[in-house]
Structure formats: C-alpha cells, structure tokens
Amino acid sequence: MKFRELITKAGTRILAGKDEKSNEKLVAQVEKDEEVFHTAAPGSPFVNIKGKVKKGDIKEAAVFCAKYSRDWKKNKSDVIIHRFKGKDIYKGKGMKVGTFGVKKLKQIKVKKKDIIDLK
C-alpha cells in the first residue's frame, strides 16, 4: 500500500495515510518508540516519523498532518494536532477501520501560515 511521503529538511522519512484503510496499515507498521500524529478533530491522516527524530522533524510532521486534514480543508485556520508514541496507540473492540485510541498525547498548534507555506 502506498502512503503519502515527505522527506524533512533533516533527511528524515515521514509517512501519512490517505484514507481509513491506509491509516490502518500505517499504524500497523509503527514501531513502539516512533512518533505519530493525528488532528484533534476527526478526518486526518495518521502521520509517522520513521526512526530517530531530528531537529525540526516534529514541526514538519505536524504541519504535514494538518495540511491533509479535513479540519484544514473546511476551516483554513490553525489546526490542533495530537502527538503520541506508537506504544500509546490501541485498537478497542468494535472500533471501525482507521480508528484508534491513544493513551498519552501532547498537543501542538499548527499555524495557518505554516500549512500554507508547506510545499
């Protein structure tokens, strides 16, 4: 399955789902200590930084996540992103495809200007 892909300025590979099925596949390949992102609002790709995080990677991944979110497409304003580790993701019984729960997360506010500036 193909994911959206971004190589950060630091050379780190970032993957993003394209729909519910690819989000399911993306989360399945996340390592326990890797960083994962999703918008606070429903309708976003899951985004995964592969391997060790380098300077600037967190912000680039958060902006990448925001750019492809329903929140951004509908509102064209700042987007709240949740950041968490692979080990904090769980799949509860009865959760639909592409939906996951998260035990521990941090919140990041992505500015409208940063989303617009992402090439």
Side-chain angles (χ1 to χ4, degrees):
M1 177 164 287
K2 292 279 184 190
F3 301 115
R4 284 191 177 96
E5 191 170 334
L6 172 75
I7 304 298
T8 67
K9 291 176 181 111
T12 306
R13 186 171 175 230
I14 295 177
L15 302 177
K18 294 182 177 181
D19 56 25
E20 293 143 335
K21 287 181 181 168
S22 62
N23 274 344
E24 193 80 31
K25 296 271 190 211
L26 183 121
V27 170
Q29 61 80 53
V30 170
E31 299 293 329
K32 65 179 181 163
D33 287 326
E34 288 181 336
E35 297 285 345
V36 184
F37 302 79
H38 191 276
T39 56
S44 137
F46 276 86
V47 172
N48 173 217
I49 298 176
K50 298 309 297 172
K52 190 169 167 37
V53 175
K54 298 179 191 98
K55 186 176 181 185
D57 289 350
I58 298 293
K59 182 178 180 182
E60 286 185 65
V63 173
F64 191 54
C65 182
K67 179 179 179 172
Y68 292 103
S69 71
R70 188 180 308 145
D71 190 7
W72 169 248
K73 289 173 186 155
K74 286 171 77 175
N75 302 313
K76 297 292 187 207
S77 62
D78 297 351
V79 176
I80 302 299
I81 300 292
H82 289 163
R83 169 187 168 198
F84 40 93
K85 297 280 190 182
K87 65 185 174 193
D88 292 320
I89 302 170
Y90 66 90
K91 184 78 168 183
K93 193 173 185 178
M95 286 183 163
K96 67 180 193 166
V97 172
T99 303
F100 297 89
V102 178
K103 295 175 194 159
K104 246 177 24 184
L105 59 87
K106 295 178 183 174
Q107 198 164 284
I108 300 169
K109 184 177 190 175
V110 176
K111 300 284 187 189
K112 176 180 178 177
K113 180 190 180 316
D114 292 331
I115 301 168
I116 292 168
D117 290 348
L118 181 68
K119 302 291 184 247

CSV table of all heavy atoms in Angstrom, one decimal, residues 28-62:
chain,number,residue,atom,x,y,z
A,28,ALA,N,-0.3,0.0,11.8
A,28,ALA,CA,0.2,-1.4,12.0
A,28,ALA,C,1.7,-1.5,11.9
A,28,ALA,O,2.4,-2.3,12.5
A,28,ALA,CB,-0.5,-2.3,11.0
A,29,GLN,N,2.4,-0.6,11.0
A,29,GLN,CA,3.8,-0.7,10.8
A,29,GLN,C,4.6,0.3,11.8
A,29,GLN,O,5.8,0.3,11.7
A,29,GLN,CB,4.1,-0.4,9.4
A,29,GLN,CG,3.7,0.9,8.8
A,29,GLN,CD,4.7,2.1,9.1
A,29,GLN,OE1,5.9,2.0,8.9
A,29,GLN,NE2,4.2,3.1,9.7
A,30,VAL,N,3.9,1.0,12.6
A,30,VAL,CA,4.6,2.0,13.5
A,30,VAL,C,5.3,1.2,14.6
A,30,VAL,O,4.8,0.3,15.2
A,30,VAL,CB,3.6,2.9,14.2
A,30,VAL,CG1,4.2,3.7,15.3
A,30,VAL,CG2,3.0,3.9,13.1
A,31,GLU,N,6.6,1.6,14.9
A,31,GLU,CA,7.4,1.0,16.0
A,31,GLU,C,7.0,1.6,17.3
A,31,GLU,O,6.5,2.8,17.3
A,31,GLU,CB,8.9,1.2,15.7
A,31,GLU,CG,9.4,0.5,14.4
A,31,GLU,CD,9.4,-1.0,14.5
A,31,GLU,OE1,9.5,-1.6,15.6
A,31,GLU,OE2,9.2,-1.6,13.4
A,32,LYS,N,7.1,1.0,18.4
A,32,LYS,CA,6.6,1.5,19.7
A,32,LYS,C,7.2,2.8,20.1
A,32,LYS,O,6.5,3.6,20.8
A,32,LYS,CB,6.8,0.4,20.8
A,32,LYS,CG,8.3,0.1,21.1
A,32,LYS,CD,8.4,-0.9,22.2
A,32,LYS,CE,9.9,-1.1,22.5
A,32,LYS,NZ,10.2,-1.7,23.7
A,33,ASP,N,8.5,3.1,19.7
A,33,ASP,CA,9.0,4.4,20.1
A,33,ASP,C,9.0,5.5,19.1
A,33,ASP,O,9.6,6.6,19.2
A,33,ASP,CB,10.5,4.2,20.6
A,33,ASP,CG,10.5,3.5,22.0
A,33,ASP,OD1,9.6,3.8,22.8
A,33,ASP,OD2,11.5,2.7,22.2
A,34,GLU,N,8.3,5.2,17.9
A,34,GLU,CA,8.2,6.2,16.9
A,34,GLU,C,7.1,7.2,17.2
A,34,GLU,O,6.1,6.9,17.8
A,34,GLU,CB,8.0,5.5,15.5
A,34,GLU,CG,9.2,4.8,15.0
A,34,GLU,CD,9.0,4.1,13.7
A,34,GLU,OE1,7.9,3.8,13.3
A,34,GLU,OE2,10.0,3.9,13.0
A,35,GLU,N,7.3,8.4,16.6
A,35,GLU,CA,6.3,9.5,16.8
A,35,GLU,C,5.2,9.3,15.8
A,35,GLU,O,5.4,9.1,14.6
A,35,GLU,CB,7.0,10.9,16.6
A,35,GLU,CG,8.1,11.2,17.6
A,35,GLU,CD,7.5,11.6,19.0
A,35,GLU,OE1,6.3,11.9,19.1
A,35,GLU,OE2,8.3,11.6,19.9
A,36,VAL,N,4.0,9.6,16.3
A,36,VAL,CA,2.8,9.5,15.4
A,36,VAL,C,1.9,10.8,15.7
A,36,VAL,O,1.9,11.3,16.8
A,36,VAL,CB,1.9,8.3,15.7
A,36,VAL,CG1,0.7,8.1,14.8
A,36,VAL,CG2,2.8,7.0,15.7
A,37,PHE,N,1.2,11.2,14.7
A,37,PHE,CA,0.4,12.5,14.7
A,37,PHE,C,-0.9,12.2,14.1
A,37,PHE,O,-1.1,11.4,13.2
A,37,PHE,CB,1.1,13.6,13.9
A,37,PHE,CG,2.5,13.9,14.4
A,37,PHE,CD1,3.6,13.1,14.0
A,37,PHE,CD2,2.8,15.0,15.2
A,37,PHE,CE1,4.9,13.3,14.5
A,37,PHE,CE2,4.1,15.2,15.7
A,37,PHE,CZ,5.1,14.4,15.3
A,38,HIS,N,-1.9,13.0,14.6
A,38,HIS,CA,-3.3,13.0,14.1
A,38,HIS,C,-3.9,14.3,14.6
A,38,HIS,O,-3.6,14.8,15.7
A,38,HIS,CB,-4.1,11.8,14.6
A,38,HIS,CG,-5.4,11.6,13.9
A,38,HIS,ND1,-6.5,12.2,14.2
A,38,HIS,CD2,-5.7,10.8,12.9
A,38,HIS,CE1,-7.5,11.8,13.4
A,38,HIS,NE2,-7.0,10.9,12.6
A,39,THR,N,-4.9,14.8,13.8
A,39,THR,CA,-5.5,16.0,14.3
A,39,THR,C,-6.4,15.7,15.5
A,39,THR,O,-6.9,14.6,15.7
A,39,THR,CB,-6.4,16.7,13.2
A,39,THR,OG1,-7.3,15.7,12.7
A,39,THR,CG2,-5.6,17.2,12.0
A,40,ALA,N,-6.7,16.7,16.3
A,40,ALA,CA,-7.6,16.6,17.4
A,40,ALA,C,-9.0,16.3,16.9
A,40,ALA,O,-9.8,15.5,17.5
A,40,ALA,CB,-7.6,17.9,18.3
A,41,ALA,N,-9.4,16.9,15.7
A,41,ALA,CA,-10.7,16.7,15.1
A,41,ALA,C,-10.6,15.4,14.2
A,41,ALA,O,-9.5,15.1,13.7
A,41,ALA,CB,-11.1,17.9,14.2
A,42,PRO,N,-11.7,14.7,14.0
A,42,PRO,CA,-11.7,13.5,13.1
A,42,PRO,C,-11.4,13.9,11.7
A,42,PRO,O,-11.6,15.1,11.3
A,42,PRO,CB,-13.2,13.0,13.3
A,42,PRO,CG,-13.8,13.7,14.4
A,42,PRO,CD,-13.0,14.9,14.7
A,43,GLY,N,-11.0,13.0,10.9
A,43,GLY,CA,-10.7,13.2,9.5
A,43,GLY,C,-9.4,13.7,9.2
A,43,GLY,O,-9.2,14.8,8.6
A,44,SER,N,-8.4,12.9,9.5
A,44,SER,CA,-7.0,13.3,9.2
A,44,SER,C,-6.2,12.0,9.0
A,44,SER,O,-6.5,10.9,9.4
A,44,SER,CB,-6.5,14.0,10.5
A,44,SER,OG,-5.2,13.7,10.9
A,45,PRO,N,-5.1,12.2,8.2
A,45,PRO,CA,-4.2,11.1,8.1
A,45,PRO,C,-3.5,10.8,9.4
A,45,PRO,O,-3.3,11.8,10.2
A,45,PRO,CB,-3.2,11.5,7.1
A,45,PRO,CG,-3.1,13.0,7.2
A,45,PRO,CD,-4.5,13.4,7.6
A,46,PHE,N,-3.1,9.6,9.7
A,46,PHE,CA,-2.1,9.3,10.7
A,46,PHE,C,-0.8,9.6,10.1
A,46,PHE,O,-0.6,9.2,8.9
A,46,PHE,CB,-2.2,7.9,11.3
A,46,PHE,CG,-3.3,7.7,12.3
A,46,PHE,CD1,-4.6,7.4,12.0
A,46,PHE,CD2,-3.0,7.8,13.7
A,46,PHE,CE1,-5.6,7.3,12.9
A,46,PHE,CE2,-3.9,7.7,14.6
A,46,PHE,CZ,-5.3,7.4,14.3
A,47,VAL,N,0.1,10.2,10.8
A,47,VAL,CA,1.4,10.5,10.2
A,47,VAL,C,2.5,9.9,11.2
A,47,VAL,O,2.4,10.0,12.4
A,47,VAL,CB,1.6,12.1,10.1
A,47,VAL,CG1,3.0,12.5,9.8
A,47,VAL,CG2,0.6,12.6,9.1
A,48,ASN,N,3.5,9.3,10.6
A,48,ASN,CA,4.5,8.6,11.3
A,48,ASN,C,5.9,9.1,10.9
A,48,ASN,O,6.3,9.0,9.7
A,48,ASN,CB,4.3,7.1,11.1
A,48,ASN,CG,5.4,6.2,11.6
A,48,ASN,OD1,5.7,5.2,11.0
A,48,ASN,ND2,5.9,6.5,12.8
A,49,ILE,N,6.7,9.5,11.9
A,49,ILE,CA,8.1,9.8,11.6
A,49,ILE,C,8.9,8.5,11.8
A,49,ILE,O,8.8,7.8,12.8
A,49,ILE,CB,8.7,10.8,12.6
A,49,ILE,CG1,8.0,12.2,12.5
A,49,ILE,CG2,10.2,11.0,12.4
A,49,ILE,CD1,8.4,13.2,13.6
A,50,LYS,N,9.6,8.1,10.7
A,50,LYS,CA,10.3,6.8,10.7
A,50,LYS,C,11.7,7.0,11.4
A,50,LYS,O,12.4,7.9,11.0
A,50,LYS,CB,10.5,6.3,9.3
A,50,LYS,CG,9.2,5.9,8.6
A,50,LYS,CD,8.2,5.1,9.4
A,50,LYS,CE,8.7,3.7,9.7
A,50,LYS,NZ,7.9,3.0,10.6
A,51,GLY,N,11.9,6.2,12.4
A,51,GLY,CA,13.2,6.2,13.0
A,51,GLY,C,13.4,7.3,14.0
A,51,GLY,O,12.5,7.9,14.6
A,52,LYS,N,14.7,7.7,14.2
A,52,LYS,CA,15.1,8.7,15.2
A,52,LYS,C,14.7,10.1,14.7
A,52,LYS,O,15.0,10.5,13.6
A,52,LYS,CB,16.6,8.6,15.4
A,52,LYS,CG,17.2,9.4,16.5
A,52,LYS,CD,18.6,9.0,16.8
A,52,LYS,CE,19.4,9.9,17.7
A,52,LYS,NZ,18.8,10.6,18.8
A,53,VAL,N,14.1,10.9,15.6
A,53,VAL,CA,13.7,12.2,15.3
A,53,VAL,C,14.9,13.2,15.3
A,53,VAL,O,15.7,13.1,16.2
A,53,VAL,CB,12.6,12.7,16.3
A,53,VAL,CG1,12.2,14.1,16.1
A,53,VAL,CG2,11.4,11.8,16.2
A,54,LYS,N,14.9,14.0,14.3
A,54,LYS,CA,16.0,15.0,14.2
A,54,LYS,C,15.4,16.4,14.4
A,54,LYS,O,14.2,16.6,14.3
A,54,LYS,CB,16.7,14.9,12.9
A,54,LYS,CG,17.4,13.6,12.7
A,54,LYS,CD,18.1,13.5,11.3
A,54,LYS,CE,18.6,12.1,11.0
A,54,LYS,NZ,17.6,11.4,10.1
A,55,LYS,N,16.2,17.4,14.5
A,55,LYS,CA,15.8,18.8,14.7
A,55,LYS,C,14.8,19.2,13.6
A,55,LYS,O,15.1,19.1,12.4
A,55,LYS,CB,17.0,19.7,14.8
A,55,LYS,CG,16.6,21.1,15.2
A,55,LYS,CD,17.8,22.0,15.3
A,55,LYS,CE,17.3,23.4,15.7
A,55,LYS,NZ,18.3,24.4,15.8
A,56,GLY,N,13.7,19.8,14.0
A,56,GLY,CA,12.7,20.3,13.0
A,56,GLY,C,11.7,19.2,12.5
A,56,GLY,O,10.7,19.6,11.9
A,57,ASP,N,11.9,17.9,12.8
A,57,ASP,CA,11.1,16.9,12.3
A,57,ASP,C,9.7,16.9,12.9
A,57,ASP,O,8.7,16.7,12.2
A,57,ASP,CB,11.6,15.5,12.6
A,57,ASP,CG,12.8,15.2,11.7
A,57,ASP,OD1,13.2,15.9,10.7
A,57,ASP,OD2,13.5,14.1,12.0
A,58,ILE,N,9.6,17.2,14.2
A,58,ILE,CA,8.3,17.3,14.8
A,58,ILE,C,7.4,18.3,14.2
A,58,ILE,O,6.2,18.0,13.8
A,58,ILE,CB,8.4,17.6,16.4
A,58,ILE,CG1,9.2,16.5,17.1
A,58,ILE,CG2,7.1,17.8,17.0
A,58,ILE,CD1,8.6,15.1,17.1
A,59,LYS,N,7.9,19.5,14.0
A,59,LYS,CA,7.1,20.6,13.4
A,59,LYS,C,6.7,20.2,12.0
A,59,LYS,O,5.5,20.4,11.6
A,59,LYS,CB,7.8,21.9,13.4
A,59,LYS,CG,7.0,23.0,12.8
A,59,LYS,CD,7.7,24.4,12.9
A,59,LYS,CE,6.9,25.5,12.3
A,59,LYS,NZ,7.5,26.7,12.3
A,60,GLU,N,7.6,19.7,11.2
A,60,GLU,CA,7.3,19.4,9.8
A,60,GLU,C,6.2,18.3,9.7
A,60,GLU,O,5.3,18.3,8.9
A,60,GLU,CB,8.6,18.9,9.0
A,60,GLU,CG,9.5,20.1,8.7
A,60,GLU,CD,10.7,19.7,7.8
A,60,GLU,OE1,10.4,19.3,6.7
A,60,GLU,OE2,11.8,19.8,8.3
A,61,ALA,N,6.3,17.3,10.6
A,61,ALA,CA,5.3,16.2,10.6
A,61,ALA,C,4.0,16.7,11.0
A,61,ALA,O,2.9,16.3,10.4
A,61,ALA,CB,5.8,15.1,11.6
A,62,ALA,N,3.9,17.6,12.0
A,62,ALA,CA,2.6,18.2,12.4
A,62,ALA,C,2.0,19.0,11.3
A,62,ALA,O,0.8,18.9,11.1
A,62,ALA,CB,2.9,19.0,13.7
